[in-house]
Amino acid sequence: MSQFINAKETLVTDAVDGLIETSGGTLMRLDGYPHIKVVCRSDWDHSKVALISGGGSGHEPSHAGFVGKGMLTAAVCGEVFASPSVDAVLAAILAVTGDAGCLLIIKNYTGDRLNFGLAAERARAFGLKVSLVIVGDDIALPDLPQPRGVAGTLFVHKIAGALAEQGADLGTVHKAAQSTIDATASIGMSLDTCTMPGSGKEDRIPDGKAELGLGIHGEAGVEQVAHESAKKAMDMMLDKLSPRIGDMPHVAILNNLGGTTPLEMSVLAHELASNPKAAQIKHIVGPASLMTALDMHGFSVSVLPVTSQNKEPLLADVDVSAWPGMKSISPVTVAPLPDGLSPIQPIASENPEVRALIEKVCDLLIASEADLNALDAKSGDGDTGSTLTKAAVAMKGALDRMPLADLTQLFRAISNELSQTMGGSSGIILSIFFGATGDACANGKPTTAALLAGLKRISEVGGAEVGDRTMIDALDPALPALPEGLEAAAKAAREGADKTATIGQAKAGRSSYVPEENLIGHNDPGAEAVARLFEGLR
């Protein structure tokens, strides 16, 4: 799999340097590449308790991305999914620990426990005050004697970091960190595994399945479950977390495991905020990529009770751009549309033949969704079929309030409906088309002439003409042929649509940005949709 890296051997050091170079001078690193990779605060004065965390790389922005005022003092970076060495951890302790001591925050993995633990022993031999806590917040395996440390570790970084920044002593910081660990629970779900740099992706999770309770290093989950929707996925997660959520307010971290799009994460946030099982989750951190697993297409949820002791540290400001802050979950606020935007609703009327015609057109578009999307993927963003289907579904739902017996008002009503429901440039173009057709009908033009007037208007507004590789290539020949019957119109539309496959340079629409080799041999999806409509009606 191709990736934007130079070499596996320099991946982590390149990334660490990139983080430091773009930190605005707030971060620095210790010498010792490539074996010692330690990121530190550049403003550290050793007068306060130092916080050190770390582990294998591949979880970015954790851990180095949380080094800064109010969170970590230093992060020790291992290779991808590999614990850093004892010497690297010891170097970090010696570099940032003053008389106030330091706290090591360790995730519960054998390599991290051993290497951080031995480094702590060696540092104590130098006379330094070193304390440590071990995070085991993963509840995927409830009977596991040593649960894994996952994204809930960030609660520990935040609360302990705020107290250390305020000048609390090592005992106080350690106690708060341990209390946070004891109260935190996390679980993750993914639709795919992660890609190790320079290697292929493991094909472990089949289509239609999700893995529940997997780790942050690509470890297999507790079980593979059927994947139906974001709602069902979040509900499963909350089922597992519910026994840990009491009657008091909680905060949740909604964490992107690396390969989930922001759009999906916002849908998951909505499902978290609206699920009755999350009624006590009053605050949220995210959705954001906080502790990832390379490019894993998944997410995790971590929960923690919000108390009088930890609320202030959770809300405290930090000089760390990767931390999104804790925010209250609030209901969706809806404001009324401004005056003049909502169109005047026409008086509904019935005409069975017109209703049947519109339903037929809508059904033809819906049936063509997958084919049109696949065609659009050759020359655009792959959504032509989905856009037309969305409009068709909305149109069928609006028929009861349409003036089906008044053609002039019907064209205008269709224009208004498309402007509100279709979206994209095609929605605007078709809205203008039907609006102009309705205006032409109102001026006494017969239907075919009115449709041609609508065609002329969209050509004027959109700037496209025959030969520019748009839906006009099929509409322009089809509409004048309508008086001869649907057979002639369908034949003209098909010839126009097929001709677009020979046009190597589009002059309008998204295809105008696409190279010739992506266009030749493939019909324009808008023109194809028009041709299919006329053929279906024929």
Side-chain angles (χ1 to χ4, degrees):
M1 178 178 178
S2 298
Q3 295 172 306
F4 289 108
I5 65 175
N6 297 317
K8 289 189 296 183
E9 295 75 18
T10 64
L11 171 58
V12 178
T13 53
D14 288 346
V16 168
D17 282 346
L19 175 69
I20 295 171
E21 288 160 345
T22 56
S23 70
T26 62
L27 302 178
M28 63 180 185
R29 68 170 173 86
L30 300 183
D31 200 358
Y33 268 6
H35 305 297
I36 293 176
K37 300 178 281 290
V38 176
V39 178
C40 308
R41 286 176 59 175
S42 59
D43 64 346
W44 188 243
D45 64 5
H46 296 75
S47 64
K48 298 173 182 176
V49 172
L51 261 62
I52 302 173
S53 190
S57 296
H59 305 302
E60 288 69 26
S62 288
H63 301 85
F66 295 110
V67 174
K69 185 177 180 180
M71 291 191 79
L72 298 179
T73 314
V76 192
C77 307
E79 291 300 310
V80 174
F81 294 169
S83 178
S85 67
V86 174
D87 282 352
V89 178
L90 181 59
I93 297 172
L94 295 175
V96 301
T97 305
D99 293 340
C102 80
L103 176 69
L104 302 182
I105 302 172
I106 308 166
K107 297 192 302 303
N108 195 16
Y109 297 97
T110 302
D112 289 349
R113 291 184 64 145
L114 291 174
N115 290 340
F116 278 80
L118 181 53
E121 292 298 327
R122 291 184 177 177
R124 292 184 187 116
F126 285 103
L128 299 176
K129 291 194 296 183
V130 181
S131 186
L132 60 86
V133 290
I134 298 171
V135 185
D137 55 310
D138 185 13
I139 62 166
L141 297 165
D143 299 324
L144 193 68
Q146 293 195 14
R148 300 172 290 199
V150 287
T153 308
L154 302 175
F155 282 137
V156 186
H157 293 172
K158 182 66 182 72
I159 292 170
L163 293 174
E165 192 64 40
Q166 293 166 9
D169 62 29
L170 182 57
T172 302
V173 175
H174 179 279
K175 181 179 178 181
Q178 189 60 56
S179 296
T180 303
I181 293 167
D182 295 339
T184 299
S186 301
I187 192 166
M189 177 184 281
S190 184
L191 300 176
D192 204 354
T193 56
C194 57
T195 306
M196 287 293 288
S199 304
K201 185 186 289 285
E202 181 185 358
D203 188 18
R204 186 179 73 223
I205 306 175
D207 288 343
K209 292 285 188 178
E211 208 159 68
L212 180 64
L214 74 174
I216 56 172
H217 305 98
E219 310 100 313
V222 176
E223 59 179 325
Q224 288 192 356
V225 296
H227 174 61
E228 299 174 13
S229 63
K231 181 185 289 291
K232 184 67 174 178
M234 183 59 72
D235 196 63
M236 285 186 195
M237 302 276 274
L238 291 171
D239 268 342
K240 299 291 186 181
L241 291 168
S242 290
R244 297 292 298 268
I245 301 175
D247 295 331
M248 61 190 309
H250 279 61
V251 56
I253 289 176
L254 181 52
N255 174 53
N256 186 341
L257 285 169
T260 311
T261 65
L263 197 62
E264 291 171 281
M265 292 303 298
S266 290
V267 173
L268 290 166
H270 167 63
E271 295 305 331
L272 175 63
S274 59
N275 193 302
K277 296 171 186 173
Q280 289 302 321
I281 297 178
K282 306 295 186 181
H283 310 274
I284 191 164
V285 177
S289 297
L290 298 167
M291 185 173 286
T292 63
L294 293 173
D295 61 346
M296 187 178 286
H297 190 180
F299 71 102
S300 66
V301 179
S302 305
V303 294
L304 172 72
V306 178
T307 67
S308 57
Q309 289 77 35
N310 68 21
K311 186 173 184 178
E312 183 181 343
L314 283 167
L315 288 170
D317 290 337
V318 296
D319 188 16
V320 176
S321 60
W323 181 254
M326 184 175 80
K327 300 177 179 66
S328 296
I329 294 177
S330 57
V332 175
T333 301
V334 180
L337 289 172
D339 292 341
L341 182 62
S342 298
I344 298 173
Q345 293 300 323
I347 298 173
S349 58
E350 189 54 61
N351 184 317
E353 291 182 0
V354 172
R355 177 184 283 267
L357 176 64
I358 295 175
E359 287 178 339
K360 176 67 173 176
V361 167
C362 292
D363 290 340
L364 287 167
L365 290 174
I366 293 168
S368 299
E369 178 179 7
D371 290 345
L372 293 176
N373 278 345
L375 193 58
D376 189 31
K378 307 288 186 183
S379 58
D381 53 1
D383 69 347
T384 292
S386 298
T387 300
L388 290 169
T389 294
K390 180 182 178 182
V393 170
M395 187 65 67
K396 289 183 73 173
L399 286 177
D400 287 342
R401 49 186 169 82
M402 286 283 177
L404 300 176
D406 185 336
L407 204 55
T408 297
Q409 295 305 317
L410 177 60
F411 283 131
R412 288 169 170 169
I414 291 173
S415 172
N416 288 333
E417 185 68 26
L418 292 175
S419 71
Q420 296 176 68
T421 61
M422 189 169 176
S425 57
S426 54
I428 299 301
I429 290 292
L430 289 175
S431 176
I432 292 170
F433 172 73
F434 284 106
T437 301
D439 291 344
C441 280
N443 290 326
K445 289 191 176 183
T447 303
T448 300
L451 290 168
L452 287 170
L455 177 62
K456 181 180 179 183
R457 183 70 59 81
I458 61 173
S459 185
E460 292 170 350
V461 173
E465 299 176 350
V466 172
D468 287 351
R469 207 177 195 278
T470 70
M471 68 172 72
I472 288 177
D473 285 291
L475 268 179
D476 190 274
L479 293 181
L482 264 179
E484 302 172 34
L486 281 172
E487 181 72 36
K491 182 174 182 293
R494 171 50 61 197
E495 289 175 355
D498 289 347
K499 193 176 293 184
T500 62
T502 67
I503 301 173
Q505 177 59 59
K507 297 177 183 177
R510 281 204 180 96
S511 296
S512 59
Y513 310 119
V514 177
E516 179 176 350
E517 58 266 25
N518 290 57
L519 301 180
I520 294 296
H522 305 293
N523 286 9
D524 173 76
E528 177 67 21
V530 171
R532 290 190 178 208
L533 277 186
F534 279 101
E535 289 171 337
L537 292 175
R538 176 195 58 190

